[in-house]
Each structure stands twice: as C-alpha cells, then as structure tokens.
Amino acid sequence: MAPAPADLMAGKSLGPRHLEILDGLETIVLTEGFRELTVGTIAQRLRCSRRTLYEIADSKEALVLIVIDRVLRRLARVAHDAARREAALLDRLRAFLLQGLSELHRATLAFSEDLAAFPEAADLLATHFRFAHGVVENMLLEGIDSGEFKEIHPRIAAETFDAAMRRLLDPRVLRESGVGFAEAVAEYLTLFTDGIRAPVPLKRKAL
C-alpha cells in the first residue's frame, strides 16, 4: 500500500481563528474555484488580515493546498468510519467509497478546472487517491478470499478504480456529462460494486 499522504498542517500552531478562516476558504475554493484568488481578496472576503493568512501559509498556492489536503483528510476519516459500521464486505467497500464523497458534494466544475490547471494540487489529490487505492485493493482481496466478491484480479480492479477517479476529475468529462464530480463518482461506483459482487447461487427447486 502507498504511504499515507504527509499532513500539510503538521507542525503548524493554529488557533480557532485560523481554523475558521480555513473553513471559509474551503467553501470558496470548492464552490467557486481558486485561480483568480489572491491573498488580498481572500483577506477581504474572510475579513482577516494578510498577516493572519501568512501565519497559516506563505502564499495563496500553499493556502489552497492546505485547504485541499484538509478536505481529503476529512473525506478519509468519514470513509473509514462509514466502512467500520458495515458488516458485509461489499457494504463496507461501498460505504468507504461513497460516504467519503459527501465531503465533495460542494465541488463545482470551476474547482475541477482550476485543479487541472494547478499541477501541485492535482499531484496532492493523486497522492490521496493512491492511498485509497491501496485500501480498496485490500478490501477486494478480503472479499475474494471470503467468496463475497467474484474471482477477479484485485490489483487490476483497484487500478480501474484509480483510473476512473482520474478520468472523472477531467473538467471536460464533467462539462460534457453535465454532472458534478461527486455525482459522477457515485454513478461509477454503482457499476464498480455491482460488477465485483459474486453471483448468488440459484436454489434448486424441490422435486
């Protein structure tokens, strides 16, 4: 499994006001995008000083990366918690993949377009997805061993999941399909989980 992504807030001493600012910036980034933002406009919209923003990060780009990393870490916590509440492996896998997406329901096409134009942010997202890829592969292995999933190649199945996530982040795909990222992923996961489910044996009719 790929190593867990480094926490971009590690070592930072942030108070309640800093966290409040990050919450506000998260809403802006996810719903409006971030390409046109500057430190000045962020300070104005969130009613804080530039100095307070620079206490969090030394540039707008670094602020955006912290916001995205924070969202993805919360997504991972929600996903793992949802999976732990399920007994059946298929329900556990589906919960892991779907429930975390609730954290991305606000992500708009503008966010996806700006993400595609910001290589560092796209790389950060890919790092988080690679870690999730390993979790999915382990769940697939467990499901295959237990007979709950079909006899599929777990690495190939996990690779298709990873490839699909990358494809669905493409703004052109989202624009042409007319859906947001979270909705697109939910559609894909219906196909994915239905495809790996082991068929239910037919019961013999009594003679």
Side-chain angles (χ1 to χ4, degrees), residues 182-193:
E183 184 181 351
V185 173
E187 290 285 342
Y188 166 73
L189 292 179
T190 297
L191 298 173
F192 183 79
T193 54

Side-chain angles (χ1 to χ4, degrees), residues 19-185:
L19 298 178
E20 181 184 354
I21 288 168
L22 286 172
D23 287 340
L25 182 56
E26 177 184 312
T27 297
I28 295 172
V29 166
L30 290 179
T31 61
E32 302 175 25
F34 51 85
R35 193 183 316 186
E36 301 301 324
L37 290 176
T38 65
V39 171
T41 58
I42 294 171
Q44 182 179 28
R45 292 190 60 177
L46 298 181
R47 297 182 179 181
C48 66
S49 67
R50 291 171 182 249
R51 179 179 177 178
T52 302
L53 292 175
Y54 285 128
E55 290 171 352
I56 302 173
D58 58 7
S59 68
K60 181 204 81 172
E61 290 76 16
L63 278 168
V64 169
L65 289 174
I66 286 175
V67 164
I68 294 173
D69 185 62
R70 195 165 173 251
V71 170
L72 294 172
R73 288 181 182 282
R74 190 168 67 245
L75 183 156
R77 289 194 298 270
V78 170
H80 283 285
D81 288 346
R84 279 193 289 266
R85 290 193 291 268
E86 302 293 341
L89 280 167
L90 188 64
D91 292 338
R92 199 183 308 163
L93 177 61
R94 187 170 180 82
F96 176 79
L97 295 173
L98 278 177
Q99 294 305 312
L101 290 174
S102 63
E103 294 297 312
L104 291 176
H105 73 282
R106 293 177 294 166
T108 61
L109 181 59
F111 169 74
S112 295
E113 288 174 337
D114 289 355
L115 190 70
F118 185 13
E120 290 86 350
D123 288 345
L124 176 63
L125 194 68
T127 300
H128 279 271
F129 278 173
R130 277 196 299 273
F131 184 72
H133 172 139
V135 175
V136 169
E137 185 173 352
N138 287 341
M139 287 186 180
L140 290 170
L141 278 167
E142 189 177 352
I144 293 165
D145 289 344
S146 70
E148 190 172 338
F149 299 163
K150 292 178 181 177
E151 288 287 338
I152 56 176
H153 193 301
R155 182 59 182 271
I156 296 300
E159 289 287 353
T160 66
F161 163 76
D162 185 62
M165 295 304 99
R166 293 171 185 271
R167 182 67 173 156
L168 294 177
L169 278 169
D170 186 331
R172 183 180 59 82
V173 173
L174 297 175
R175 191 182 305 109
E176 291 178 356
S177 62
V179 299
F181 175 67
E183 184 181 351
V185 173

